[in-house]
Each structure stands twice: as C-alpha cells, then as structure tokens.
Amino acid sequence: MRSKDEVRREVWRAMDREGVSRFPGAEGRIPNFAGAKAASERLARHPDWVRAETIKANPDAPQTHSRRLALAQGKCLVMAVPRLRDEHPFRLLDPRRLSEEQQREAATIKGALRHGKVIDLEQVPPLDFILTGSVAVNLKGVRIGKGGGFSDLEYGLLAESGKVDRRTVVATTVHPIQIVRENLMVTGHDIPVDIVSTPRAVIEVERAHERPTGILWDHLQPPQIHEIPVLERMGYAG
C-alpha cells in the first residue's frame, strides 16, 4: 500500500498535468479545481445537506461556494481558526445577523474571522453536517488531506465534547481525478466521509472504517499540544 505522501504527490501532479487545478496550483494544499462550484451546488441538493441546520466547514478555496450557499440558505456555519492557534479556536457565523454582502464576505476565511462570533469549544452548537476538503478520497470513504492533520484534530475535539457523533454526516467535494480506486492508508484518527460530491454526481459511500470518538492523545507529540491552546488546556485538565 502506498504512503499518504505518495498518493498526495500523484494526485497533485495529475491535477496540474490535466489542467483541472486552479490558481495557485494543486501542490501542498487542498486543491481548488475546475467545477468546484458545480460540486458544491450538487451537494447542496442532497437531503442530508438540506436537513442540516448547523454545518462545520473547512476554510479552503474549493469549498468557498458551499460556505456561501450554507449562509444563503439560512444555515449556521462553524469554522475553525487556521491551525487552531487561538485561545478560542472556532467562529460561528449566523446568517440572521449578517447582511447579504457580509454573508458573501464571511464565506472566505478572512471574512469568517472578521464577521464570525468568537466561540470556544464548549460553545460550538451540536453539528448536523461536516464539510471537509480532500486531496484524495476513495469509495470506501477514506480521505487524505494535505498532511497537517487539522481536520481530523478538529473532529476529535468536537467528538470529545459531544458536538458530533457517528451519525453526523461528513462530506467532501472533489474533482473526479481525486477519487482513487485503491485502498488508502488509514490511521485511528482519520475521519472517513459519507458523501463525495463531484461536479457531475453525488456519491454516497459506505464507510469501511470507524470514526474516532475523541482525541487520540498518543497520536500527538508534546510540541503539537503546546502549540494548540485548547489541547494544552485539555491536557492539563486531564
């Protein structure tokens, strides 16, 4: 089985080679892709999205339109501060408190930080739906991110505090070239997805792996814990 880094490098190269990545290119990030808006619009018609009242979304470029749609549809949006670096690491965006112009701006990471209400982990409302970015994903629901581990860590924090559970729907939007046909390496902290949305189809996958039910402390190094205030507080409390 190939390493996660090998899969990432291949997908990034393929996206750039086939001309489906968008500025500033695929490598090193959750890549923006041709058709990202269409993939978001397809996802927004899925019954699980329609039913959701509160959505946590990643801050990356290909999911910008999803965040904009969520706010336009009256859904509350939760976003994490990049790298969880703040004492209060989440922002809550309530569209009822935002003008139409502010909603459009709040769909960007800078706008979310500007217009979002600063909240701590304990203040995050129960989540109905999670949108996450991917570099690669397969049809068993296994996803590979860009390598920082923050999406998985955010999920672990939310699970630890009872904001999500195994019933919370997790989705990703990708270009078809990001869907791989091989088994992907899985670790205990990885979050499998339930829905993969592309510009042409929404695919419901049957999860082959369980989600973590909290923080896996033995997967973290002391420097990581000390760099993330909420983890450091939890570690001292434990």
Side-chain angles (χ1 to χ4, degrees):
M1 185 181 296
R2 294 192 297 168
S3 71
K4 292 183 179 183
D5 277 341
E6 288 173 323
V7 175
R8 287 185 190 102
R9 286 195 296 269
E10 181 178 292
V11 170
W12 285 331
R13 285 197 299 265
M15 293 184 77
D16 288 341
R17 183 179 66 246
E18 299 300 321
V20 300
S21 60
R22 292 295 176 256
F23 180 84
E27 188 172 352
R29 55 181 48 86
I30 300 294
N32 202 0
F33 59 90
K37 182 177 179 181
S40 294
E41 290 171 346
R42 283 195 178 276
L43 179 62
R45 294 194 290 270
H46 190 278
D48 287 328
W49 174 283
V50 173
R51 283 192 294 267
E53 296 180 2
T54 305
I55 294 174
K56 177 190 172 292
N58 61 305
D60 301 283
Q63 286 75 41
T64 301
H65 193 62
S66 288
R67 298 190 295 271
R68 192 164 287 140
L69 283 172
L71 292 170
Q73 292 167 355
K75 302 179 189 297
C76 285
L77 196 61
V78 173
M79 294 176 66
V81 173
R83 306 182 73 84
L84 295 166
R85 62 177 177 254
D86 284 9
E87 286 286 335
H88 306 288
F90 293 96
R91 298 292 182 268
L92 177 64
L93 296 156
D94 184 342
R96 295 169 297 184
R97 300 177 179 275
L98 301 172
S99 68
E100 188 172 332
E101 182 179 346
Q102 287 173 330
Q103 286 183 23
R104 287 190 62 81
E105 186 179 0
T108 68
I109 184 58
K110 288 183 180 178
L113 293 174
R114 182 176 299 119
H115 297 295
K117 179 182 178 182
V118 177
I119 57 173
D120 206 349
L121 177 61
E122 293 75 20
Q123 297 171 294
V124 174
L127 299 173
D128 304 309
F129 196 102
I130 291 176
L131 177 63
T132 186
S134 301
V135 173
V137 65
N138 68 15
L139 296 184
K140 293 182 178 180
V142 182
R143 67 172 280 278
I144 293 177
K146 63 185 177 184
F150 286 98
S151 288
D152 298 327
L153 186 53
E154 290 161 17
Y155 183 92
L157 285 167
L158 293 164
E160 188 96 11
S161 59
K163 309 300 182 180
V164 297
D165 58 30
R166 60 185 303 276
R167 296 167 297 179
T168 308
V169 178
V170 180
T172 191
T173 58
V174 295
H175 189 277
I177 207 169
Q178 295 174 262
I179 302 174
V180 300
R181 297 183 179 274
E182 64 193 272
N183 287 327
L184 295 173
M185 187 176 292
V186 180
T187 58
H189 61 254
D190 290 333
I191 317 163
V193 303
D194 304 294
I195 299 170
V196 179
S197 185
T198 75
R200 294 191 174 184
V202 176
I203 307 162
E204 295 182 4
V205 302
E206 189 167 341
R207 273 188 267 142
H209 303 275
E210 290 299 316
R211 295 183 192 157
T213 56
I215 296 293
L216 302 182
W217 291 97
D218 57 340
H219 288 216
L220 299 172
Q221 299 298 318
Q224 291 176 284
I225 296 171
H226 296 317
E227 288 170 5
I228 299 173
V230 65
L231 277 183
E232 193 165 41
R233 290 200 304 272
M234 291 172 73
Y236 281 130

